[in-house]
Amino acid sequence: MHLTDSQCDRYFDVMDCLLTYVNGRFNVVDANEVDDRDPLIEAKLALIAHELWENVAVIDDFVRDNPYDLPQADLALTQSWKHALSGTFTVVRYQQGHAILMHESGIYSVSGVEADWEEVLGRVPAVVDAVLLPFEGSIIYDGFLSIGDVPEARARAIADEFEERCQQGVASTADEFLQRSSAYHEAQSMLEFEKFMNSLDRHQSQEPEVLPKGFHRGALAGLSGKERDEAVERDLDRRFGESKPAALATREDEALNIIGLCTLYCGIVRLSDAYRQYCACVHEPMGESEFRTLAVRAGQDKEAPFVIWIEGEHVHAMHFTLDEEYVAAQVAQRITEGTSVKAFASMERNIADFRRMLEDELGNLDGMRHYLAREHEKFSMRPLPPYLPDADAFDVIFDNTCIQMLISFLDERIPDGQDDYLFADRVVEELVLGAIEIGDVQAMHAYTHQLGLDGCCADETRLRQLVANVYDNVPSWENNGWSPREVRERLTGRRMFYDERGKLMKVGSNDPCPCGSGLEYRDCCGR
């Protein structure tokens, strides 16, 4: 079930006016570039909507100013959106044309906007980042969704949580939504105030954080980047002996490494684009014909961390996780995991399950390849960072403030029984791989939950914030190698900064630029 044509017209007329007003107030994107013909229009509108829900008090100004002469009924509707509920929701099922969404504040029956939820979302359960709103007696979302899969390990827990929360009832009308969202916002405000006062008390008393039971301060805690690297290297030398210097990279090695970097950053890359990146990285590049021959031979012979995909007249290099053989191996592993000897007696059924799952996954894989190829037309390929022949690909990616923040955070909170020198790096490497190859921040949160890290800090939101920051700062295949943060900076023309706790800084136009230039933000990184 979704809005009627007349309801859609009313909703988008009001919302478009509000978003235009918000963009004018906060200058999120250049107003001259908000054009329906722009292929990035949805991304730009989503940024403006995010600014709106971060600053809902601006709705009061919009209603007071009424710059577009809206009728009182539309102003009253807009005023009700101050109680919008934003966050992460689990879409549990579809019921009578509605999507049933679960949130920490309760269960909601939500209508679609222009299309039914099932058409937009597909199979459930699923996780979405969304904003719920009251509209003409019903509950809808604002039109922007970020969608993620539910890890299999979480499915049972979701069913149990849903059953428990259903005892409080399902909010299905605008009035029920407003009552529940108002109570939730009031409770959250009180909680935030308590957290602020507690952090203020700790800061004034200068007492060190008391870690929860089961965690300890690791041996690397508090060390600077260089000191930490040296300590880890000494520990590895102690365990395994001094490492030998790596052999110098040959000309062919350099070319294959750069193609591998391109696929790590972009997932799929045309060999012609990879060659341009290669020429920009090395002093004396080989010819393009030699480069293509080398790439095709290595990719087809599985001698490199990429494979070759030929689509039409274009030859692409692909990350190895987008290869049919890799996907088939993953499906086989899922089929056999936890399968008992007795179950293997029914081999025919297992083979049928394997074929069915493999057919589904290969269909998804083909769709993903073509989707990435289409999305890459919106963005030029991100230039590779300065290439060092003896550097690991992750060394370049890990040289990021947000990734280093998470490593430092985990160094301070090592689970008992884990290795002080390896734990944080291993966890963050898995998170970075997940962010790049899966592209789902919810899967990253599920991984830290699986490791039992949810209770490692008195501020339960801090780990989630740091993990989300990692997701925002690593290459995105969908964005042709640009990270979500870099995409936002390109769309807004303003550089983003994080404070020492990993929170996104709100920098005023006249504030000193956080980059340290001494200029005001508006004259430096703020456009």
mmCIF file of all heavy atoms in Angstrom, residues 190-202:
data_model
loop_
_atom_site.group_PDB
_atom_site.id
_atom_site.type_symbol
_atom_site.label_atom_id
_atom_site.label_comp_id
_atom_site.label_asym_id
_atom_site.label_seq_id
_atom_site.Cartn_x
_atom_site.Cartn_y
_atom_site.Cartn_z
ATOM 1 N N MET A 190 16.525 13.245 27.946
ATOM 2 C CA MET A 190 16.945 13.031 29.328
ATOM 3 C C MET A 190 18.210 12.174 29.385
ATOM 4 O O MET A 190 19.135 12.453 30.166
ATOM 5 C CB MET A 190 15.821 12.359 30.114
ATOM 6 C CG MET A 190 14.615 13.245 30.355
ATOM 7 S SD MET A 190 15.021 14.688 31.390
ATOM 8 C CE MET A 190 15.495 13.861 32.917
ATOM 9 N N LEU A 191 18.255 11.154 28.535
ATOM 10 C CA LEU A 191 19.419 10.273 28.515
ATOM 11 C C LEU A 191 20.663 11.029 28.057
ATOM 12 O O LEU A 191 21.754 10.865 28.636
ATOM 13 C CB LEU A 191 19.144 9.096 27.580
ATOM 14 C CG LEU A 191 20.204 8.000 27.518
ATOM 15 C CD1 LEU A 191 20.404 7.365 28.888
ATOM 16 C CD2 LEU A 191 19.806 6.941 26.489
ATOM 17 N N GLU A 192 20.522 11.856 27.025
ATOM 18 C CA GLU A 192 21.655 12.640 26.539
ATOM 19 C C GLU A 192 22.137 13.618 27.601
ATOM 20 O O GLU A 192 23.347 13.828 27.754
ATOM 21 C CB GLU A 192 21.260 13.403 25.270
ATOM 22 C CG GLU A 192 21.083 12.533 24.040
ATOM 23 C CD GLU A 192 22.372 11.854 23.627
ATOM 24 O OE1 GLU A 192 23.440 12.508 23.721
ATOM 25 O OE2 GLU A 192 22.323 10.682 23.227
ATOM 26 N N PHE A 193 21.205 14.205 28.340
ATOM 27 C CA PHE A 193 21.590 15.128 29.405
ATOM 28 C C PHE A 193 22.367 14.397 30.496
ATOM 29 O O PHE A 193 23.392 14.903 30.982
ATOM 30 C CB PHE A 193 20.344 15.781 30.002
ATOM 31 C CG PHE A 193 20.632 16.741 31.129
ATOM 32 C CD1 PHE A 193 21.198 17.984 30.872
ATOM 33 C CD2 PHE A 193 20.368 16.386 32.447
ATOM 34 C CE1 PHE A 193 21.484 18.861 31.912
ATOM 35 C CE2 PHE A 193 20.651 17.262 33.489
ATOM 36 C CZ PHE A 193 21.209 18.500 33.221
ATOM 37 N N GLU A 194 21.909 13.209 30.863
ATOM 38 C CA GLU A 194 22.617 12.422 31.883
ATOM 39 C C GLU A 194 24.023 12.051 31.413
ATOM 40 O O GLU A 194 24.987 12.122 32.182
ATOM 41 C CB GLU A 194 21.816 11.164 32.215
ATOM 42 C CG GLU A 194 20.526 11.428 32.982
ATOM 43 C CD GLU A 194 19.719 10.167 33.201
ATOM 44 O OE1 GLU A 194 20.242 9.066 32.870
ATOM 45 O OE2 GLU A 194 18.581 10.253 33.690
ATOM 46 N N LYS A 195 24.152 11.655 30.135
ATOM 47 C CA LYS A 195 25.467 11.315 29.600
ATOM 48 C C LYS A 195 26.397 12.519 29.626
ATOM 49 O O LYS A 195 27.585 12.417 29.967
ATOM 50 C CB LYS A 195 25.329 10.800 28.155
ATOM 51 C CG LYS A 195 24.758 9.408 28.036
ATOM 52 C CD LYS A 195 24.703 9.000 26.568
ATOM 53 C CE LYS A 195 24.131 7.609 26.400
ATOM 54 N NZ LYS A 195 24.047 7.211 24.972
ATOM 55 N N PHE A 196 25.839 13.685 29.267
ATOM 56 C CA PHE A 196 26.644 14.901 29.267
ATOM 57 C C PHE A 196 27.140 15.227 30.667
ATOM 58 O O PHE A 196 28.321 15.546 30.863
ATOM 59 C CB PHE A 196 25.826 16.063 28.702
ATOM 60 C CG PHE A 196 26.502 17.402 28.839
ATOM 61 C CD1 PHE A 196 27.556 17.749 28.021
ATOM 62 C CD2 PHE A 196 26.085 18.318 29.813
ATOM 63 C CE1 PHE A 196 28.193 18.982 28.154
ATOM 64 C CE2 PHE A 196 26.709 19.545 29.950
ATOM 65 C CZ PHE A 196 27.767 19.877 29.111
ATOM 66 N N MET A 197 26.243 15.143 31.653
ATOM 67 C CA MET A 197 26.635 15.450 33.028
ATOM 68 C C MET A 197 27.666 14.454 33.549
ATOM 69 O O MET A 197 28.618 14.828 34.243
ATOM 70 C CB MET A 197 25.402 15.459 33.938
ATOM 71 C CG MET A 197 24.397 16.563 33.624
ATOM 72 S SD MET A 197 25.131 18.223 33.668
ATOM 73 C CE MET A 197 25.569 18.345 35.416
ATOM 74 N N ASN A 198 27.498 13.177 33.201
ATOM 75 C CA ASN A 198 28.459 12.162 33.646
ATOM 76 C C ASN A 198 29.827 12.391 33.016
ATOM 77 O O ASN A 198 30.858 12.277 33.695
ATOM 78 C CB ASN A 198 27.957 10.759 33.279
ATOM 79 C CG ASN A 198 26.766 10.338 34.121
ATOM 80 O OD1 ASN A 198 26.565 10.839 35.229
ATOM 81 N ND2 ASN A 198 25.974 9.409 33.610
ATOM 82 N N SER A 199 29.846 12.726 31.725
ATOM 83 C CA SER A 199 31.129 12.992 31.067
ATOM 84 C C SER A 199 31.776 14.246 31.626
ATOM 85 O O SER A 199 33.003 14.321 31.751
ATOM 86 C CB SER A 199 30.933 13.125 29.555
ATOM 87 O OG SER A 199 30.139 14.252 29.249
ATOM 88 N N LEU A 200 30.957 15.232 31.988
ATOM 89 C CA LEU A 200 31.481 16.461 32.587
ATOM 90 C C LEU A 200 32.097 16.167 33.942
ATOM 91 O O LEU A 200 33.177 16.673 34.279
ATOM 92 C CB LEU A 200 30.352 17.488 32.720
ATOM 93 C CG LEU A 200 30.747 18.909 33.106
ATOM 94 C CD1 LEU A 200 31.662 19.517 32.051
ATOM 95 C CD2 LEU A 200 29.500 19.774 33.297
ATOM 96 N N ASP A 201 31.433 15.332 34.718
ATOM 97 C CA ASP A 201 31.967 14.948 36.030
ATOM 98 C C ASP A 201 33.301 14.220 35.879
ATOM 99 O O ASP A 201 34.259 14.480 36.622
ATOM 100 C CB ASP A 201 30.973 14.055 36.776
ATOM 101 C CG ASP A 201 29.732 14.812 37.231
ATOM 102 O OD1 ASP A 201 29.808 16.067 37.287
ATOM 103 O OD2 ASP A 201 28.710 14.175 37.512
ATOM 104 N N ARG A 202 33.380 13.304 34.919
ATOM 105 C CA ARG A 202 34.624 12.554 34.716
ATOM 106 C C ARG A 202 35.737 13.482 34.269
ATOM 107 O O ARG A 202 36.892 13.353 34.699
ATOM 108 C CB ARG A 202 34.421 11.449 33.670
ATOM 109 C CG ARG A 202 33.657 10.242 34.174
ATOM 110 C CD ARG A 202 33.855 9.042 33.247
ATOM 111 N NE ARG A 202 33.439 9.323 31.895
ATOM 112 C CZ ARG A 202 32.221 9.128 31.440
ATOM 113 N NH1 ARG A 202 31.282 8.641 32.234
ATOM 114 N NH2 ARG A 202 31.916 9.393 30.187
#
